[in-house]
Amino acid sequence: MEKYDPEAGTRKLSGVFGWIAFLGLLAFSLFHLYTGIFGVLTAQLQRSIHLGFALALIFLLFPARRKNRGKEHHVAWYDLILAIFSVIVGIYWPLMMDDLVLRAGNVTNLDFFVGLVAILLVLEATRRAVGLPITIIAVIFMGYAIFGPYMPGFIAHRGLDLERLVQTMFFTTEGILGTPIAVSSTFIFLFLLFGSFLIKTGVGEYFNDLSIAIAGRSVGGPAKVAVFSSALQGTISGSSVANVVTSGAFTIPMMKNLGYKKEFAGAVEASSSTGGQLMPPVMGAAAFLMVEFIGGGISYWDIAKAAAIPAILYFTGIWIMTHLEAKRIGLRGLTKEEMPNRKEVLKKLYLLLPIIAIIILLMSGMSVIRSALWSIVITVLVSAFRKDTRIGFKGTVDALVDGARSALGVAAATAAAGIIVGVVTKTGLGLKMANGLLDLAGGALLPTLFLTMIAALILGMGSPTTANYVITSTIAAPAIILLGVPDLSAHLFVFYFGIVADITPPVALAAFAAAAISGGEPFKTGVESSKLAISAFIIPYMFVLSPELLMIDTTWTYLIWVVFTAFIGMFAISAGVIGYWMRKMFWIERIVALIAGLCLIYPEKISDIIGLVSFGILLGLQFFHKSEKMRQTGK
């Protein structure tokens, strides 16, 4: 975790500073519980206090140098100064609220100094807690804002002086205190807290046990366990790397013991864990940002509902590929002795009640904040059913502290993303880039989608999904929308590729983390991960070309047909990629299988007919050759 996830490498503090950090994290969670229960504060107050907490705690917990992560046991003097400045930045708006409102944009020398310090603190905190890529991008955007008149061609603009830039970034709700951190300081924090409480009840472990009970005995069982448990783990973890480490420490050794190659075992876990952020009801943090960015009365439940079929298709593709690979190399499932006691597993089914509860609450139309709060309460109540899952006072405090700790990286990323959004808004860069993309693609949809995909994958290398989504949704998504694509389809398109970047070489953090556990070669693991997650590179194109997959403007009968053909298509693509069905496939069969799969996933009458006929021919050939082989061998 510390090697591949920047958010995991914190100091191991003890003594006075250990207590300060502990109390700070606890206060951070209590502040959000208070505002969640009694009402969110005014925008600038809620967001600036959230920012101040996050910055101060980052400087206390994250050392300046990466190589010291997990090793330092004290706070350096300069970090203490930065933490104090962070507190000042956090309380500046609450203390000066009346004056700042009355001045309405007129920045004093003190305002300018505090705003400039806030920007510098955000950049440094982001570098420590999130990583260098997003920090560099934020700096480049600020440079673009200042040096706009010297930019070439259509991206040139009048430019902002330093004072106007600082004023925009910290004294409006268009910069650091903009939409990204607004979502972080309300929805995201409470859902991270919900995830922390789920972990304390042992739900993470239970997901593994339940997955083994369901899939462990089948062919290549441990790989299927990894797919199933990672889909469930996505409910409590918004990080691909964290998901890999949590479930992979258990599933990867099991896969290796059964005979899977190191790289394939790591790839199964990496691709499954990355997809956890795509799986409703609780998706990655960027999904909450989508609610605000799309607007127009769309709710989080609308997004989760739309993402359901694509997410199921994604995991179905990985599941089928692991099954076919296991058959190809002749792997068995787990023995009865290796399986957990099913009765004991079923006795703990009640641990899924909080997950069921949050689905029902979101479906009922309850606000996201209230849904998260009630889900936390239900988690605590459910944990009391049995002694071994009971949280208690100490467990509750630990969950509050851990939840706050997991929110630090998200807060830093959304603050840095706010800088990018502020520049895009102030300079009109979003529309300029959208028009530029359209010109480059000749106004055609498929080339525009392809260029957008490349942009999302490049921006996602080493960057958190949250920041990636903010950038691509403000720069690239408008280009797709200008071509008449529904807003939800366009935003989910960039959301998907921002997540898939975690397993796409050359920088595939989730795959590298899996390789560290499996002992495989990191780059090869990344290539295998991309192969297993091939559906994630296809499905976004399909739901843009045909929004019916997102349940937009469709009937139930047509939706059932679309899903049916899409599942058959995923099977055909999986067989084509692995090169095995009932027997080893010839290269021409693999090509036909891939074409048939693509035709079936694309919901259109002619393509469905072509796909089904091709699939039927392949099925017949497989049966014929298998029967012939059985006749020759006398079996």
Side-chain angles (χ1 to χ4, degrees), residues 24-25 28 32 47-62 83 86-87 90 121 125 129 181 184 189 404 407-415:
L25 290 166
F28 197 15
H32 283 284
R47 300 171 195 181
S48 62
I49 293 172
H50 176 80
L51 178 68
F53 263 119
L55 293 177
L57 288 165
I58 285 170
F59 290 119
L60 287 176
L61 291 169
F62 289 83
S86 299
V87 173
L121 290 173
I181 207 165
S184 172
F189 191 99
L408 297 180
V410 176
T414 50

PDB file of all heavy atoms in Angstrom, residues 24-25 28 32 47-62 83 86-87 90 121 125 129 181 184 189 404 407-415:
ATOM      1  N   GLY A  24      -7.239  15.343  16.181  1.00  0.00           N
ATOM      2  CA  GLY A  24      -7.572  16.094  14.971  1.00  0.00           C
ATOM      3  C   GLY A  24      -8.437  15.278  14.021  1.00  0.00           C
ATOM      4  O   GLY A  24      -9.430  15.774  13.476  1.00  0.00           O
ATOM      5  N   LEU A  25      -8.072  14.013  13.806  1.00  0.00           N
ATOM      6  CA  LEU A  25      -8.860  13.129  12.939  1.00  0.00           C
ATOM      7  C   LEU A  25     -10.254  12.892  13.520  1.00  0.00           C
ATOM      8  O   LEU A  25     -11.257  12.895  12.790  1.00  0.00           O
ATOM      9  CB  LEU A  25      -8.129  11.792  12.753  1.00  0.00           C
ATOM     10  CG  LEU A  25      -6.847  11.833  11.914  1.00  0.00           C
ATOM     11  CD1 LEU A  25      -6.053  10.540  12.100  1.00  0.00           C
ATOM     12  CD2 LEU A  25      -7.165  12.031  10.432  1.00  0.00           C
ATOM     13  N   PHE A  28     -12.300  15.963  13.042  1.00  0.00           N
ATOM     14  CA  PHE A  28     -12.651  16.071  11.625  1.00  0.00           C
ATOM     15  C   PHE A  28     -13.931  15.289  11.340  1.00  0.00           C
ATOM     16  O   PHE A  28     -14.868  15.785  10.703  1.00  0.00           O
ATOM     17  CB  PHE A  28     -11.482  15.517  10.795  1.00  0.00           C
ATOM     18  CG  PHE A  28     -11.483  15.902   9.337  1.00  0.00           C
ATOM     19  CD1 PHE A  28     -12.278  16.932   8.852  1.00  0.00           C
ATOM     20  CD2 PHE A  28     -10.667  15.210   8.443  1.00  0.00           C
ATOM     21  CE1 PHE A  28     -12.257  17.282   7.505  1.00  0.00           C
ATOM     22  CE2 PHE A  28     -10.637  15.552   7.094  1.00  0.00           C
ATOM     23  CZ  PHE A  28     -11.442  16.579   6.618  1.00  0.00           C
ATOM     24  N   HIS A  32     -18.086  16.633  10.636  1.00  0.00           N
ATOM     25  CA  HIS A  32     -18.926  16.236   9.506  1.00  0.00           C
ATOM     26  C   HIS A  32     -20.196  15.518   9.955  1.00  0.00           C
ATOM     27  O   HIS A  32     -21.243  15.657   9.311  1.00  0.00           O
ATOM     28  CB  HIS A  32     -18.119  15.372   8.541  1.00  0.00           C
ATOM     29  CG  HIS A  32     -17.185  16.171   7.691  1.00  0.00           C
ATOM     30  ND1 HIS A  32     -17.616  16.916   6.621  1.00  0.00           N
ATOM     31  CD2 HIS A  32     -15.850  16.392   7.770  1.00  0.00           C
ATOM     32  CE1 HIS A  32     -16.585  17.542   6.071  1.00  0.00           C
ATOM     33  NE2 HIS A  32     -15.517  17.240   6.750  1.00  0.00           N
ATOM     34  N   ARG A  47     -16.710  24.431   3.455  1.00  0.00           N
ATOM     35  CA  ARG A  47     -15.595  24.001   2.611  1.00  0.00           C
ATOM     36  C   ARG A  47     -14.245  24.440   3.170  1.00  0.00           C
ATOM     37  O   ARG A  47     -13.276  23.686   3.118  1.00  0.00           O
ATOM     38  CB  ARG A  47     -15.789  24.553   1.189  1.00  0.00           C
ATOM     39  CG  ARG A  47     -17.068  24.061   0.559  1.00  0.00           C
ATOM     40  CD  ARG A  47     -17.388  24.771  -0.754  1.00  0.00           C
ATOM     41  NE  ARG A  47     -18.780  24.540  -1.140  1.00  0.00           N
ATOM     42  CZ  ARG A  47     -19.347  25.013  -2.243  1.00  0.00           C
ATOM     43  NH1 ARG A  47     -18.636  25.755  -3.085  1.00  0.00           N
ATOM     44  NH2 ARG A  47     -20.610  24.769  -2.506  1.00  0.00           N
ATOM     45  N   SER A  48     -14.174  25.652   3.720  1.00  0.00           N
ATOM     46  CA  SER A  48     -12.883  26.128   4.238  1.00  0.00           C
ATOM     47  C   SER A  48     -12.485  25.391   5.515  1.00  0.00           C
ATOM     48  O   SER A  48     -11.307  25.077   5.721  1.00  0.00           O
ATOM     49  CB  SER A  48     -12.919  27.643   4.485  1.00  0.00           C
ATOM     50  OG  SER A  48     -13.886  27.979   5.461  1.00  0.00           O
ATOM     51  N   ILE A  49     -13.450  25.080   6.379  1.00  0.00           N
ATOM     52  CA  ILE A  49     -13.146  24.313   7.600  1.00  0.00           C
ATOM     53  C   ILE A  49     -12.690  22.899   7.208  1.00  0.00           C
ATOM     54  O   ILE A  49     -11.716  22.374   7.762  1.00  0.00           O
ATOM     55  CB  ILE A  49     -14.373  24.263   8.543  1.00  0.00           C
ATOM     56  CG1 ILE A  49     -14.666  25.674   9.091  1.00  0.00           C
ATOM     57  CG2 ILE A  49     -14.127  23.286   9.694  1.00  0.00           C
ATOM     58  CD1 ILE A  49     -15.969  25.775   9.868  1.00  0.00           C
ATOM     59  N   HIS A  50     -13.402  22.300   6.270  1.00  0.00           N
ATOM     60  CA  HIS A  50     -13.019  20.976   5.743  1.00  0.00           C
ATOM     61  C   HIS A  50     -11.590  21.025   5.194  1.00  0.00           C
ATOM     62  O   HIS A  50     -10.763  20.150   5.488  1.00  0.00           O
ATOM     63  CB  HIS A  50     -14.009  20.580   4.642  1.00  0.00           C
ATOM     64  CG  HIS A  50     -13.703  19.297   3.943  1.00  0.00           C
ATOM     65  ND1 HIS A  50     -13.996  18.054   4.457  1.00  0.00           N
ATOM     66  CD2 HIS A  50     -13.105  19.054   2.744  1.00  0.00           C
ATOM     67  CE1 HIS A  50     -13.615  17.111   3.623  1.00  0.00           C
ATOM     68  NE2 HIS A  50     -13.067  17.685   2.564  1.00  0.00           N
ATOM     69  N   LEU A  51     -11.298  22.056   4.431  1.00  0.00           N
ATOM     70  CA  LEU A  51      -9.962  22.219   3.844  1.00  0.00           C
ATOM     71  C   LEU A  51      -8.902  22.405   4.922  1.00  0.00           C
ATOM     72  O   LEU A  51      -7.828  21.785   4.874  1.00  0.00           O
ATOM     73  CB  LEU A  51      -9.952  23.418   2.885  1.00  0.00           C
ATOM     74  CG  LEU A  51      -8.620  23.746   2.219  1.00  0.00           C
ATOM     75  CD1 LEU A  51      -8.226  22.646   1.236  1.00  0.00           C
ATOM     76  CD2 LEU A  51      -8.688  25.099   1.499  1.00  0.00           C
ATOM     77  N   GLY A  52      -9.184  23.249   5.904  1.00  0.00           N
ATOM     78  CA  GLY A  52      -8.226  23.500   6.982  1.00  0.00           C
ATOM     79  C   GLY A  52      -7.890  22.239   7.758  1.00  0.00           C
ATOM     80  O   GLY A  52      -6.717  21.958   8.037  1.00  0.00           O
ATOM     81  N   PHE A  53      -8.926  21.465   8.105  1.00  0.00           N
ATOM     82  CA  PHE A  53      -8.703  20.180   8.786  1.00  0.00           C
ATOM     83  C   PHE A  53      -7.793  19.274   7.957  1.00  0.00           C
ATOM     84  O   PHE A  53      -6.805  18.728   8.458  1.00  0.00           O
ATOM     85  CB  PHE A  53     -10.047  19.467   9.004  1.00  0.00           C
ATOM     86  CG  PHE A  53     -10.658  19.659  10.364  1.00  0.00           C
ATOM     87  CD1 PHE A  53     -11.897  20.274  10.511  1.00  0.00           C
ATOM     88  CD2 PHE A  53     -10.009  19.218  11.505  1.00  0.00           C
ATOM     89  CE1 PHE A  53     -12.478  20.448  11.763  1.00  0.00           C
ATOM     90  CE2 PHE A  53     -10.571  19.380  12.768  1.00  0.00           C
ATOM     91  CZ  PHE A  53     -11.814  19.998  12.895  1.00  0.00           C
ATOM     92  N   ALA A  54      -8.163  19.123   6.670  1.00  0.00           N
ATOM     93  CA  ALA A  54      -7.437  18.189   5.802  1.00  0.00           C
ATOM     94  C   ALA A  54      -5.980  18.606   5.638  1.00  0.00           C
ATOM     95  O   ALA A  54      -5.061  17.779   5.770  1.00  0.00           O
ATOM     96  CB  ALA A  54      -8.119  18.101   4.438  1.00  0.00           C
ATOM     97  N   LEU A  55      -5.740  19.884   5.366  1.00  0.00           N
ATOM     98  CA  LEU A  55      -4.368  20.352   5.149  1.00  0.00           C
ATOM     99  C   LEU A  55      -3.513  20.173   6.398  1.00  0.00           C
ATOM    100  O   LEU A  55      -2.384  19.672   6.333  1.00  0.00           O
ATOM    101  CB  LEU A  55      -4.370  21.833   4.728  1.00  0.00           C
ATOM    102  CG  LEU A  55      -4.976  22.172   3.365  1.00  0.00           C
ATOM    103  CD1 LEU A  55      -4.958  23.680   3.131  1.00  0.00           C
ATOM    104  CD2 LEU A  55      -4.235  21.458   2.243  1.00  0.00           C
ATOM    105  N   ALA A  56      -4.040  20.588   7.540  1.00  0.00           N
ATOM    106  CA  ALA A  56      -3.278  20.479   8.795  1.00  0.00           C
ATOM    107  C   ALA A  56      -2.925  19.024   9.100  1.00  0.00           C
ATOM    108  O   ALA A  56      -1.776  18.711   9.471  1.00  0.00           O
ATOM    109  CB  ALA A  56      -4.081  21.090   9.942  1.00  0.00           C
ATOM    110  N   LEU A  57      -3.884  18.133   8.926  1.00  0.00           N
ATOM    111  CA  LEU A  57      -3.646  16.716   9.223  1.00  0.00           C
ATOM    112  C   LEU A  57      -2.682  16.084   8.231  1.00  0.00           C
ATOM    113  O   LEU A  57      -1.878  15.222   8.590  1.00  0.00           O
ATOM    114  CB  LEU A  57      -4.976  15.965   9.234  1.00  0.00           C
ATOM    115  CG  LEU A  57      -5.881  16.278  10.443  1.00  0.00           C
ATOM    116  CD1 LEU A  57      -7.301  15.806  10.207  1.00  0.00           C
ATOM    117  CD2 LEU A  57      -5.308  15.647  11.712  1.00  0.00           C
ATOM    118  N   ILE A  58      -2.743  16.516   6.969  1.00  0.00           N
ATOM    119  CA  ILE A  58      -1.804  15.990   5.966  1.00  0.00           C
ATOM    120  C   ILE A  58      -0.376  16.354   6.337  1.00  0.00           C
ATOM    121  O   ILE A  58       0.537  15.516   6.268  1.00  0.00           O
ATOM    122  CB  ILE A  58      -2.165  16.515   4.558  1.00  0.00           C
ATOM    123  CG1 ILE A  58      -3.403  15.783   4.034  1.00  0.00           C
ATOM    124  CG2 ILE A  58      -0.992  16.317   3.583  1.00  0.00           C
ATOM    125  CD1 ILE A  58      -3.993  16.370   2.777  1.00  0.00           C
ATOM    126  N   PHE A  59      -0.143  17.600   6.767  1.00  0.00           N
ATOM    127  CA  PHE A  59       1.221  18.015   7.114  1.00  0.00           C
ATOM    128  C   PHE A  59       1.707  17.349   8.397  1.00  0.00           C
ATOM    129  O   PHE A  59       2.910  17.164   8.595  1.00  0.00           O
ATOM    130  CB  PHE A  59       1.312  19.539   7.206  1.00  0.00           C
ATOM    131  CG  PHE A  59       1.199  20.215   5.872  1.00  0.00           C
ATOM    132  CD1 PHE A  59       0.175  21.102   5.612  1.00  0.00           C
ATOM    133  CD2 PHE A  59       2.104  19.920   4.857  1.00  0.00           C
ATOM    134  CE1 PHE A  59       0.051  21.702   4.369  1.00  0.00           C
ATOM    135  CE2 PHE A  59       1.986  20.519   3.608  1.00  0.00           C
ATOM    136  CZ  PHE A  59       0.961  21.410   3.358  1.00  0.00           C
ATOM    137  N   LEU A  60       0.778  16.962   9.263  1.00  0.00           N
ATOM    138  CA  LEU A  60       1.170  16.226  10.465  1.00  0.00           C
ATOM    139  C   LEU A  60       1.486  14.762  10.149  1.00  0.00           C
ATOM    140  O   LEU A  60       2.401  14.176  10.733  1.00  0.00           O
ATOM    141  CB  LEU A  60       0.048  16.278  11.504  1.00  0.00           C
ATOM    142  CG  LEU A  60      -0.176  17.605  12.237  1.00  0.00           C
ATOM    143  CD1 LEU A  60      -1.379  17.491  13.157  1.00  0.00           C
ATOM    144  CD2 LEU A  60       1.061  18.022  13.038  1.00  0.00           C
ATOM    145  N   LEU A  61       0.742  14.179   9.215  1.00  0.00           N
ATOM    146  CA  LEU A  61       0.815  12.735   8.994  1.00  0.00           C
ATOM    147  C   LEU A  61       1.684  12.316   7.810  1.00  0.00           C
ATOM    148  O   LEU A  61       2.224  11.210   7.803  1.00  0.00           O
ATOM    149  CB  LEU A  61      -0.597  12.170   8.800  1.00  0.00           C
ATOM    150  CG  LEU A  61      -1.483  12.175  10.051  1.00  0.00           C
ATOM    151  CD1 LEU A  61      -2.920  11.857   9.695  1.00  0.00           C
ATOM    152  CD2 LEU A  61      -0.966  11.181  11.087  1.00  0.00           C
ATOM    153  N   PHE A  62       1.795  13.153   6.793  1.00  0.00           N
ATOM    154  CA  PHE A  62       2.529  12.774   5.584  1.00  0.00           C
ATOM    155  C   PHE A  62       3.889  13.478   5.530  1.00  0.00           C
ATOM    156  O   PHE A  62       3.931  14.712   5.463  1.00  0.00           O
ATOM    157  CB  PHE A  62       1.737  13.141   4.324  1.00  0.00           C
ATOM    158  CG  PHE A  62       0.522  12.282   4.098  1.00  0.00           C
ATOM    159  CD1 PHE A  62      -0.669  12.567   4.756  1.00  0.00           C
ATOM    160  CD2 PHE A  62       0.560  11.204   3.235  1.00  0.00           C
ATOM    161  CE1 PHE A  62      -1.798  11.790   4.557  1.00  0.00           C
ATOM    162  CE2 PHE A  62      -0.556  10.416   3.022  1.00  0.00           C
ATOM    163  CZ  PHE A  62      -1.741  10.707   3.689  1.00  0.00           C
ATOM    164  N   ALA A  83       1.366  23.149   9.212  1.00  0.00           N
ATOM    165  CA  ALA A  83       0.097  22.748   9.829  1.00  0.00           C
ATOM    166  C   ALA A  83      -0.587  23.951  10.490  1.00  0.00           C
ATOM    167  O   ALA A  83      -1.813  24.111  10.406  1.00  0.00           O
ATOM    168  CB  ALA A  83       0.333  21.640  10.849  1.00  0.00           C
ATOM    169  N   SER A  86      -2.073  26.063   7.911  1.00  0.00           N
ATOM    170  CA  SER A  86      -3.273  25.393   7.405  1.00  0.00           C
ATOM    171  C   SER A  86      -4.483  25.696   8.286  1.00  0.00           C
ATOM    172  O   SER A  86      -5.592  25.914   7.784  1.00  0.00           O
ATOM    173  CB  SER A  86      -3.056  23.877   7.346  1.00  0.00           C
ATOM    174  OG  SER A  86      -1.995  23.552   6.481  1.00  0.00           O
ATOM    175  N   VAL A  87      -4.257  25.709   9.596  1.00  0.00           N
ATOM    176  CA  VAL A  87      -5.336  26.052  10.523  1.00  0.00           C
ATOM    177  C   VAL A  87      -5.804  27.487  10.278  1.00  0.00           C
ATOM    178  O   VAL A  87      -7.008  27.775  10.255  1.00  0.00           O
ATOM    179  CB  VAL A  87      -4.879  25.870  11.987  1.00  0.00           C
ATOM    180  CG1 VAL A  87      -5.934  26.396  12.946  1.00  0.00           C
ATOM    181  CG2 VAL A  87      -4.581  24.400  12.274  1.00  0.00           C
ATOM    182  N   GLY A  90      -7.888  27.588   7.281  1.00  0.00           N
ATOM    183  CA  GLY A  90      -9.188  26.979   7.537  1.00  0.00           C
ATOM    184  C   GLY A  90     -10.137  27.876   8.306  1.00  0.00           C
ATOM    185  O   GLY A  90     -11.355  27.831   8.079  1.00  0.00           O
ATOM    186  N   LEU A 121      -0.225  25.746  -0.045  1.00  0.00           N
ATOM    187  CA  LEU A 121      -0.460  24.631   0.875  1.00  0.00           C
ATOM    188  C   LEU A 121      -1.220  23.500   0.182  1.00  0.00           C
ATOM    189  O   LEU A 121      -0.912  22.314   0.374  1.00  0.00           O
ATOM    190  CB  LEU A 121      -1.249  25.109   2.102  1.00  0.00           C
ATOM    191  CG  LEU A 121      -0.510  26.020   3.093  1.00  0.00           C
ATOM    192  CD1 LEU A 121      -1.479  26.531   4.158  1.00  0.00           C
ATOM    193  CD2 LEU A 121       0.661  25.291   3.746  1.00  0.00           C
ATOM    194  N   ALA A 125       0.285  19.831  -0.153  1.00  0.00           N
ATOM    195  CA  ALA A 125      -0.477  18.745   0.483  1.00  0.00           C
ATOM    196  C   ALA A 125      -0.905  17.705  -0.559  1.00  0.00           C
ATOM    197  O   ALA A 125      -0.862  16.500  -0.303  1.00  0.00           O
ATOM    198  CB  ALA A 125      -1.706  19.314   1.195  1.00  0.00           C
ATOM    199  N   ALA A 129      -0.016  13.759  -0.342  1.00  0.00           N
ATOM    200  CA  ALA A 129      -1.087  12.802  -0.056  1.00  0.00           C
ATOM    201  C   ALA A 129      -1.639  12.114  -1.297  1.00  0.00           C
ATOM    202  O   ALA A 129      -2.231  11.038  -1.192  1.00  0.00           O
ATOM    203  CB  ALA A 129      -2.233  13.506   0.679  1.00  0.00           C
ATOM    204  N   ILE A 181     -14.552  20.289  -3.941  1.00  0.00           N
ATOM    205  CA  ILE A 181     -14.398  20.188  -2.481  1.00  0.00           C
ATOM    206  C   ILE A 181     -15.749  20.304  -1.779  1.00  0.00           C
ATOM    207  O   ILE A 181     -15.908  19.839  -0.640  1.00  0.00           O
ATOM    208  CB  ILE A 181     -13.389  21.229  -1.944  1.00  0.00           C
ATOM    209  CG1 ILE A 181     -12.766  20.700  -0.641  1.00  0.00           C
ATOM    210  CG2 ILE A 181     -14.049  22.594  -1.714  1.00  0.00           C
ATOM    211  CD1 ILE A 181     -11.534  21.434  -0.202  1.00  0.00           C
ATOM    212  N   SER A 184     -16.672  16.770  -1.592  1.00  0.00           N
ATOM    213  CA  SER A 184     -15.800  16.111  -0.617  1.00  0.00           C
ATOM    214  C   SER A 184     -16.225  16.440   0.811  1.00  0.00           C
ATOM    215  O   SER A 184     -16.179  15.575   1.694  1.00  0.00           O
ATOM    216  CB  SER A 184     -14.348  16.564  -0.844  1.00  0.00           C
ATOM    217  OG  SER A 184     -13.502  16.095   0.178  1.00  0.00           O
ATOM    218  N   PHE A 189     -17.270  12.490   2.285  1.00  0.00           N
ATOM    219  CA  PHE A 189     -16.739  12.220   3.630  1.00  0.00           C
ATOM    220  C   PHE A 189     -17.634  11.234   4.368  1.00  0.00           C
ATOM    221  O   PHE A 189     -17.140  10.276   4.987  1.00  0.00           O
ATOM    222  CB  PHE A 189     -16.610  13.521   4.428  1.00  0.00           C
ATOM    223  CG  PHE A 189     -15.826  13.353   5.696  1.00  0.00           C
ATOM    224  CD1 PHE A 189     -14.487  13.704   5.746  1.00  0.00           C
ATOM    225  CD2 PHE A 189     -16.403  12.806   6.836  1.00  0.00           C
ATOM    226  CE1 PHE A 189     -13.746  13.519   6.906  1.00  0.00           C
ATOM    227  CE2 PHE A 189     -15.674  12.616   7.994  1.00  0.00           C
ATOM    228  CZ  PHE A 189     -14.333  12.980   8.032  1.00  0.00           C
ATOM    229  N   ALA A 404     -11.767   9.499   8.773  1.00  0.00           N
ATOM    230  CA  ALA A 404     -11.166  10.816   8.537  1.00  0.00           C
ATOM    231  C   ALA A 404      -9.829  10.682   7.825  1.00  0.00           C
ATOM    232  O   ALA A 404      -9.508  11.454   6.916  1.00  0.00           O
ATOM    233  CB  ALA A 404     -10.985  11.548   9.860  1.00  0.00           C
ATOM    234  N   ALA A 407     -10.171  10.181   4.192  1.00  0.00           N
ATOM    235  CA  ALA A 407     -10.708  11.343   3.476  1.00  0.00           C
ATOM    236  C   ALA A 407      -9.637  12.374   3.132  1.00  0.00           C
ATOM    237  O   ALA A 407      -9.897  13.281   2.331  1.00  0.00           O
ATOM    238  CB  ALA A 407     -11.798  12.010   4.321  1.00  0.00           C
ATOM    239  N   LEU A 408      -8.444  12.250   3.721  1.00  0.00           N
ATOM    240  CA  LEU A 408      -7.412  13.283   3.527  1.00  0.00           C
ATOM    241  C   LEU A 408      -6.979  13.385   2.067  1.00  0.00           C
ATOM    242  O   LEU A 408      -6.875  14.486   1.506  1.00  0.00           O
ATOM    243  CB  LEU A 408      -6.200  12.994   4.425  1.00  0.00           C
ATOM    244  CG  LEU A 408      -6.458  13.023   5.937  1.00  0.00           C
ATOM    245  CD1 LEU A 408      -5.172  12.709   6.698  1.00  0.00           C
ATOM    246  CD2 LEU A 408      -7.005  14.384   6.367  1.00  0.00           C
ATOM    247  N   GLY A 409      -6.703  12.245   1.443  1.00  0.00           N
ATOM    248  CA  GLY A 409      -6.277  12.254   0.050  1.00  0.00           C
ATOM    249  C   GLY A 409      -7.359  12.795  -0.874  1.00  0.00           C
ATOM    250  O   GLY A 409      -7.071  13.550  -1.815  1.00  0.00           O
ATOM    251  N   VAL A 410      -8.608  12.439  -0.589  1.00  0.00           N
ATOM    252  CA  VAL A 410      -9.726  12.914  -1.411  1.00  0.00           C
ATOM    253  C   VAL A 410      -9.879  14.428  -1.272  1.00  0.00           C
ATOM    254  O   VAL A 410     -10.089  15.139  -2.263  1.00  0.00           O
ATOM    255  CB  VAL A 410     -11.042  12.216  -1.002  1.00  0.00           C
ATOM    256  CG1 VAL A 410     -12.219  12.775  -1.789  1.00  0.00           C
ATOM    257  CG2 VAL A 410     -10.930  10.717  -1.213  1.00  0.00           C
ATOM    258  N   ALA A 411      -9.746  14.940  -0.046  1.00  0.00           N
ATOM    259  CA  ALA A 411      -9.861  16.380   0.177  1.00  0.00           C
ATOM    260  C   ALA A 411      -8.776  17.142  -0.572  1.00  0.00           C
ATOM    261  O   ALA A 411      -9.036  18.177  -1.203  1.00  0.00           O
ATOM    262  CB  ALA A 411      -9.782  16.683   1.677  1.00  0.00           C
ATOM    263  N   ALA A 412      -7.540  16.625  -0.512  1.00  0.00           N
ATOM    264  CA  ALA A 412      -6.430  17.281  -1.225  1.00  0.00           C
ATOM    265  C   ALA A 412      -6.654  17.232  -2.734  1.00  0.00           C
ATOM    266  O   ALA A 412      -6.453  18.225  -3.443  1.00  0.00           O
ATOM    267  CB  ALA A 412      -5.112  16.610  -0.859  1.00  0.00           C
ATOM    268  N   ALA A 413      -7.075  16.067  -3.236  1.00  0.00           N
ATOM    269  CA  ALA A 413      -7.300  15.911  -4.680  1.00  0.00           C
ATOM    270  C   ALA A 413      -8.408  16.836  -5.173  1.00  0.00           C
ATOM    271  O   ALA A 413      -8.286  17.451  -6.245  1.00  0.00           O
ATOM    272  CB  ALA A 413      -7.646  14.459  -4.996  1.00  0.00           C
ATOM    273  N   THR A 414      -9.489  16.960  -4.398  1.00  0.00           N
ATOM    274  CA  THR A 414     -10.598  17.812  -4.839  1.00  0.00           C
ATOM    275  C   THR A 414     -10.231  19.289  -4.735  1.00  0.00           C
ATOM    276  O   THR A 414     -10.706  20.097  -5.541  1.00  0.00           O
ATOM    277  CB  THR A 414     -11.877  17.537  -4.014  1.00  0.00           C
ATOM    278  OG1 THR A 414     -11.566  17.564  -2.610  1.00  0.00           O
ATOM    279  CG2 THR A 414     -12.462  16.183  -4.358  1.00  0.00           C
ATOM    280  N   ALA A 415      -9.380  19.649  -3.763  1.00  0.00           N
ATOM    281  CA  ALA A 415      -8.925  21.040  -3.675  1.00  0.00           C
ATOM    282  C   ALA A 415      -8.071  21.393  -4.889  1.00  0.00           C
ATOM    283  O   ALA A 415      -8.223  22.462  -5.494  1.00  0.00           O
ATOM    284  CB  ALA A 415      -8.136  21.258  -2.383  1.00  0.00           C
TER     285      ALA A 415
END
